[in-house]
Amino acid sequence: MRNSTFTVPSNAPEAWAVHPFDAPLGAQVVGLDLSQPLDDDTFRQVHRAHLAHHVLVFRDTRITPAQQIAFSRRFGPLQTHVLHQFQLRGHPEILVVSNIVENGQPIGLGDAGHYWHSDLSYVDKPSLGSMLHAQELPAEGGDTLFANMHLAFDTLPAALRRAVDSLQAEHSYLCKYEELRARSPWRPPLSAEQIAQVKPQVHPVVRTHPETGRKALFVSEHFTTRIVGLPERESAELLAQLFAHSVRPEHVWRHRWQPHDMVFWDNRSVMHLAAGCPDHLRRRLNRTTIEGDAPY
Ligand code: SIN
């Protein structure tokens, strides 16, 4: 499917199409109206395209938060973010990702995703996928980068691939939290209750995608703290090597946002990074996350 463009006029409500990017991942979907529930056949085609391309960009998507939630729920139950301060009022399933400050208060998480990561890898059932819907975009910057973690695994030197295949790693929400707080005016301190909600979890370093059976590297600089059973220095060196390999340019695609884009990525197949934008330019997006399986 990577090199094909397909148009689906059949029994879909209107003609729509998936156009793969000339890149290690990703495709854009044009002409699909997500404000209405998709019929089962159209939904199956979207699901298949998501598995094949790992990141789908739905162009010109004019939907409300409730419609984003309804579409996200077709893929599974939704997860709420531990930073409840930044849930959208009336819609706790939506995390507001924004650098906007109103009346001295941030309206969203301004520095979300400033290290490479897979969403919610620090919980027992990390996110299957996330949908990020553009509300306000800066005139400059604000891109999101994605790395194909299947390719990252497949292209490891064979001996390293065998060595990491049976390892486990710890993931913690707290891994970079204080570091981010030290340089970000937006990060609130965590309450004892919030800390209790994000106890570290252990997951395989290499996970098998539950729907495609493909293996993917599953460690990230944002949340992975150590390789279980390795001395500290050896663990840190191995993780640094895996992080650097994962984001080699040939594994990465950069999304440059257009108005009304909604991007839906597969957290079991990719990592992502928010590239950031100048502080004085407003950026606001609504994110839903769909619960996945315990990695194996
Ligand atoms: C995220 O990590 O979910 C946010 C990504 C972005 O703001 O580009």
Side-chain angles (χ1 to χ4, degrees):
M1 198 180 284
R2 261 239 68 75
N3 296 317
S4 67
T5 294
F6 66 87
T7 307
V8 189
S10 61
N11 62 348
E14 64 204 50
W16 62 282
V18 177
H19 302 290
F21 297 128
D22 183 16
L25 57 88
Q28 68 171 339
V29 181
V30 290
L32 201 57
D33 177 7
L34 296 181
S35 70
Q36 304 300 320
L38 298 182
D39 64 71
D40 288 346
D41 192 44
T42 307
F43 176 75
R44 264 193 300 277
Q45 308 257 19
V46 170
H47 183 195
R48 248 179 0 114
H50 190 241
L51 294 177
H53 303 296
H54 317 309
V55 178
L56 294 181
V57 179
F58 296 90
R59 297 290 189 196
D60 198 28
T61 299
R62 292 160 196 260
I63 55 172
T64 63
Q67 288 163 341
Q68 178 178 347
I69 290 168
F71 180 53
S72 304
R73 280 215 175 103
R74 295 285 296 267
F75 293 87
L78 302 190
Q79 295 166 303
T80 52
H81 200 273
V82 62
L83 292 179
H84 51 78
Q85 299 92 326
F86 300 136
Q87 292 166 359
L88 185 65
R89 190 168 304 137
H91 296 290
E93 303 88 346
I94 288 188
L95 172 74
V96 178
V97 174
S98 180
N99 61 359
I100 298 170
V101 176
E102 276 172 5
N103 304 320
Q105 292 297 319
I107 65 160
L109 187 57
D111 61 354
H114 281 202
Y115 290 99
W116 283 100
H117 67 288
S118 172
D119 284 331
L120 276 68
S121 75
Y122 50 83
V123 302
D124 56 341
K125 289 183 176 174
S127 163
L128 173 160
S130 307
M131 294 191 194
L132 194 58
H133 187 213
Q135 308 293 309
E136 272 188 79
L137 295 172
E140 177 194 331
D143 300 346
T144 308
L145 281 69
F146 294 90
N148 183 329
M149 298 302 274
H150 296 301
L151 273 184
F153 174 72
D154 294 345
T155 56
L156 281 176
L160 184 56
R161 203 164 56 227
R162 279 193 298 278
V164 296
D165 207 0
S166 55
L167 295 178
Q168 306 263 313
E170 183 187 77
H171 295 240
S172 170
Y173 185 63
L174 306 182
C175 178
K176 291 271 194 268
Y177 201 86
E178 289 310 317
E179 200 175 309
L180 282 164
R181 238 169 80 66
R183 57 186 159 92
S184 157
W186 297 290
R187 287 243 158 199
L190 291 171
S191 67
E193 197 187 333
Q194 286 170 315
I195 291 173
Q197 277 174 39
V198 288
K199 296 216 168 61
Q201 300 290 327
V202 170
H203 297 306
V205 167
V206 179
R207 72 178 295 182
T208 305
H209 194 292
E211 297 188 81
T212 65
R214 285 189 72 187
K215 287 185 173 188
L217 267 184
F218 192 62
V219 287
S220 74
E221 60 176 355
H222 200 337
F223 298 129
T224 309
T225 48
R226 65 188 177 96
I227 306 272
V228 176
L230 288 191
E232 197 176 325
R233 185 160 164 196
E234 213 180 307
S235 163
E237 282 173 3
L238 179 54
L239 284 175
Q241 189 180 0
L242 295 177
F243 297 158
H245 176 80
S246 299
V247 299
R248 288 170 69 111
E250 62 270 28
H251 304 154
V252 171
W253 173 72
R254 173 183 284 263
H255 178 60
R256 295 184 168 85
W257 289 87
Q258 295 179 19
H260 310 292
D261 275 353
M262 187 167 78
V263 179
F264 177 27
W265 62 86
D266 188 335
N267 282 299
R268 305 161 299 183
S269 297
V270 302
M271 283 199 300
H272 60 284
L273 174 77
C277 70
D279 285 348
H280 67 282
L281 298 177
R282 290 165 68 100
R283 184 174 188 267
R284 181 166 61 92
L285 306 96
N286 286 341
R287 193 183 92 182
T288 42
T289 50
I290 302 148
E291 185 178 88
D293 304 304
Y296 60 90

